[in-house]
Amino acid sequence: MTLSSKQATLLVLVALMALSPLFFPSGYYYRIGSLIFVNGLAVTGIVILTGYAGQISLGHAGFAGIGAYACALMPPKFGVHPAMAMVLGAAMSGSVAYVVGRPILRLKGYYLAVASLGFGILVSMVLSNETALTGGPDGMKVPELGLRAVLNEWGLTLTNPQFWYALSGLFLLVGAWLALNLYDSPSGRALRALHGSEVAASTVGIDVAAAKLNAFVISAIYASLAGSLLALQNRMVTPDVAGYMHSIEMVTMAVLGGSGSVLGAIFGAGILTLLPQVLTVFQQYEQVMLGLIMMLVMIFLRDGLLPSLVSLMRGRGE
Amino acid sequence: MSETMQFLLSGITVGAVYALVALGFTIIYNASDVVNFAQGEFVMLGGMITVFTHQAGLPLPLAALIAIVLTAAIGVGFNKLAIETARGAPVVSVIIITIGASIFIQGVAQIVFDKQLHRFPAISGDDPIKLLGATILPQSLWVIAGALVIFTGLWLFFTKTLLGRAVLATSNNRVAAQLVGININFVMTLSFALSAGIGALAGVLVTPITLVSYQVGIALALKGFASAMLGGMGNPKGALVGGAMLGLMESLTAGFISSQYKDAVAFVVILAVLFAMPQGLYGRKSMDRV
């Protein structure tokens, strides 16, 4: 039996998620694992936008910020359950992406880059300035999701890091599955076609602007969900989640691993989440490193690390 | 009335800086179709290098000259090492490269210099001049004069000199320019040097007013781009007018609506321009619409 690349990708992900805990020296690694999954989820959204559709956003952290603050603000203000707040946050991010993306995506690539950069800055500006509502730069507390207590009652006892490892892993799996399904669907083909040539795509009847807008909205929802998960897991949130550097991290993760492949991008998210944990030097020089990675990968390994490695190995094998 | 006048004067001052950043964008965009997101970092470098060479004991004019020359050299190096090696890459890849360069330069500035805010003395002192019921700093006049001189200089260069026309020819049609014997590589080098040097000059002029730190670049890039778009991408006159308009809008917003949200103006302008007139005020009519 041969596996399709979709099944192979999901299988690799499931195997990694299930087997890695066997090698964890301490409970702390569940936390790192769940951070990788959360970043992986956001980056999977970037794959749809950048890898499939060939558009670039420099403000996706803005959507993560909307998702995160939805979970922090809605439960105490409106009595909404945190899980519901997550859904509402995603809906809000999607709508904002739709409104902002509509005028921009009719135009060339760099307009989206600039406008999304402005959008991201705007969101983090609002989050830092509206102190009465958001607690300003110090951030605010986020309510408990409450799902772990329910699982406990059912007899499934998990430590907090284990629970978040499992939950974010599940989100990432579903997110990756949807993204992989999209790849071969008519909409996904339309996106990849317009990535190749917008003119050619529109000649064969693809509504290029609408297709790009779809990709932008979907990826915004991914980022928003990732932001919500992060906030609920940390039980607190600061405007940094919407900051410019966070947007840059997302793009770098996708680009490093390979923005054209879901597995590659998650791999990139894994590397860039792990590196600061193992190398303190990396933390100190984070900006220099991120900038260097972006430039070097785009100049020398345009497909990203994982796809380049794979094609190298295939080439050797033949 | 005098209050409004005050807002207008400070708006024109920041507007002149945005215009210089937008002019830098325009030069590189015209020569190579590259939208250089690292443009704001040139301004930051101009300010920071002047601050630190001045602190090291050099007289201010010499420090400023060193900053401009060094920044121009960095611009040329960036073009040779990154932009030219990636020639032919898709737009998205080039954007990521220039963003990467911007982050990289910020990171290096953070390490080589520091994370503090800095300034150095203004050229003609800090005594405000009274003007039409408001006051203006002498340094503001230097900034405005700088923008006008650079604009005029560029205009003369592009219309009256052979070299300038070669740059224009390259921006119109690269292949045709190459066929008539224009050295494209030299044109590119020149454009990056000019653009980075102008950015650095803006940094030198504005630092005594707004101060400089390693992270001022990205906001300037965004506003310079908004100005260039408002005026019409690729048009130097548009860059000048767009910069002035954005500066005025920002300062009026800060004065009458909210000083916290003045930075949001650039974003609103970008969206409004994209929505209502994507070609900008003076832009070419033919746009790559899809």
Side-chain angles (χ1 to χ4, degrees):
Chain A
M1 190 187 84
T2 51
L3 287 172
S4 72
S5 77
K6 182 174 98 188
Q7 288 162 328
T9 302
L10 289 174
L11 212 64
V12 170
L13 275 180
V14 171
L16 280 176
M17 282 175 189
L19 296 179
S20 310
L22 298 178
F23 303 99
F24 285 172
S26 74
Y28 179 63
Y29 285 75
Y30 283 105
R31 159 92 181 142
I32 298 178
S34 71
L35 279 182
I36 293 180
F37 299 156
V38 168
N39 284 332
L41 183 66
V43 170
T44 306
I46 303 279
V47 168
I48 295 174
L49 182 70
T50 306
Y52 294 4
Q55 309 299 309
I56 182 159
S57 162
L58 301 174
H60 253 53
F63 298 117
I66 293 178
Y69 275 84
C71 285
L73 282 170
M74 284 182 183
K77 296 263 179 230
F78 310 117
V80 182
H81 190 272
M84 193 60 207
M86 192 167 167
V87 175
L88 290 174
M92 211 167 116
S93 295
S95 321
V96 171
Y98 184 83
V99 173
V100 174
R102 239 179 97 83
I104 303 165
L105 286 161
R106 288 178 300 169
L107 301 154
K108 258 190 181 170
Y110 47 81
Y111 288 106
L112 181 64
V114 178
S116 58
L117 170 66
F119 166 74
I121 291 179
L122 185 68
V123 172
S124 63
M125 205 190 308
V126 171
L127 294 179
S128 324
N129 285 339
E130 297 302 320
T131 318
L133 195 64
T134 64
D138 295 335
M140 63 186 299
K141 283 203 159 121
V142 179
E144 165 71 40
L145 180 57
L147 186 59
R148 193 161 72 96
V150 176
L151 290 177
N152 261 336
E153 276 172 29
W154 292 351
L156 188 63
T157 40
L158 292 170
T159 66
N160 196 37
Q162 281 172 338
F163 167 74
W164 282 107
Y165 182 87
L167 188 67
S168 9
L170 204 63
F171 264 91
L172 176 58
L173 273 182
V174 174
W177 177 66
L178 290 175
L180 290 164
N181 275 345
L182 181 69
Y183 191 78
D184 280 324
S185 74
S187 322
R189 285 173 202 274
L191 290 179
R192 288 185 284 144
L194 73 89
H195 188 178
S197 160
E198 294 193 0
V199 179
S202 63
T203 2
V204 294
I206 293 169
D207 185 343
V208 171
K212 286 198 278 189
L213 188 57
N214 283 342
F216 188 57
V217 171
I218 295 172
S219 67
I221 293 175
Y222 271 84
S224 176
L225 290 176
S228 297
L229 281 175
L230 193 68
L232 289 169
Q233 179 178 176
N234 291 346
R235 295 294 311 278
M236 81 154 297
V237 60
T238 64
D240 283 347
V241 68
Y244 174 60
M245 280 315 288
H246 190 203
S247 295
I248 294 296
E249 278 170 10
M250 287 189 205
V251 175
T252 316
M253 285 171 181
V255 161
L256 172 65
S259 64
S261 108
V262 172
L263 196 60
I266 297 174
F267 178 62
I271 296 180
L272 280 189
T273 315
L274 268 180
L275 271 185
Q277 307 283 345
V278 279
L279 285 177
T280 35
V281 187
F282 190 91
Q283 253 170 339
Q284 231 171 334
Y285 299 118
E286 197 199 0
Q287 290 208 358
V288 179
M289 297 286 201
L290 288 181
L292 211 54
I293 290 173
M294 288 172 102
M295 287 196 284
L296 291 180
V297 170
M298 275 299 120
I299 295 171
F300 297 111
L301 282 178
R302 210 166 293 152
D303 293 332
L305 215 50
L306 196 66
S308 301
L309 277 176
V310 168
S311 65
L312 194 72
M313 268 151 47
R314 287 220 174 111
R316 288 246 175 93
E318 275 161 9
Chain B
M1 179 56 216
S2 66
E3 204 182 27
T4 312
M5 194 62 215
Q6 190 63 56
F7 296 145
L8 291 179
L9 288 180
S10 64
I12 286 288
T13 309
V14 258
V17 178
Y18 298 161
L20 284 172
V21 181
L23 279 172
F25 261 129
T26 306
I27 295 171
I28 291 184
Y29 179 77
N30 277 345
S32 63
D33 272 337
V34 170
V35 173
N36 177 25
F37 281 86
Q39 194 67 35
E41 310 312 327
F42 296 148
V43 182
M44 180 273 288
L45 283 175
M48 285 300 249
I49 297 176
T50 311
V51 165
F52 279 83
T53 41
H54 182 55
Q55 270 177 14
L58 293 181
L60 205 47
L62 187 61
L65 187 68
I66 289 176
I68 293 170
V69 172
L70 213 57
T71 308
I74 291 171
V76 170
F78 170 52
N79 172 46
K80 289 277 175 224
L81 294 175
I83 300 293
E84 271 182 23
T85 14
R87 176 136 289 284
V91 181
V92 172
S93 306
V94 178
I95 292 176
I96 296 176
I97 290 173
T98 63
I99 285 283
S102 145
I103 302 285
F104 178 72
I105 293 174
Q106 266 184 50
V108 172
Q110 208 180 117
I111 297 164
V112 175
F113 307 120
D114 58 19
K115 297 187 179 181
Q116 311 300 315
L117 276 169
H118 294 282
R119 70 162 288 189
F120 45 78
I123 300 173
S124 319
D126 291 318
D127 300 326
I129 302 165
K130 285 209 182 329
L131 189 72
L132 302 165
T135 56
I136 187 167
L137 288 171
Q139 188 70 21
S140 296
L141 298 176
W142 279 103
V143 175
I144 297 166
L148 290 175
V149 167
I150 291 289
F151 174 75
T152 318
L154 281 178
W155 180 74
L156 289 174
F157 173 69
F158 282 126
T159 51
K160 306 285 179 204
T161 67
L162 192 61
L163 194 56
R165 287 176 178 199
V167 179
L168 279 188
T170 311
S171 74
N172 271 327
N173 189 328
R174 237 182 136 75
V175 180
Q178 208 156 16
L179 284 175
V180 295
I182 292 170
N183 184 344
I184 303 285
N185 282 337
F186 179 68
V187 166
M188 287 285 284
T189 304
L190 182 74
S191 305
F192 272 85
L194 261 181
S195 174
I198 290 173
L201 176 73
V204 170
L205 289 176
V206 82
T207 297
I209 306 176
T210 59
L211 312 190
V212 66
S213 80
Y214 77 97
Q215 53 183 0
V216 297
I218 192 68
L220 281 171
L222 178 71
K223 289 167 186 181
F225 193 93
S227 311
M229 269 178 63
L230 181 59
M233 223 31 209
N235 183 315
K237 193 165 74 184
L240 193 71
V241 176
M245 283 177 65
L246 182 65
L248 285 174
M249 280 188 266
E250 259 195 32
S251 125
L252 290 174
T253 307
F256 293 115
I257 304 171
S258 153
S259 58
Q260 280 175 332
Y261 286 105
K262 74 176 170 64
D263 289 336
V265 174
F267 172 66
V268 175
V269 164
I270 291 175
L271 278 195
V273 170
L274 286 176
F275 204 74
M277 42 164 200
Q279 73 282 357
L281 292 172
Y282 299 96
R284 283 168 249 167
K285 281 284 176 276
S286 70
M287 279 294 295
D288 295 290
R289 290 192 85 121
V290 288

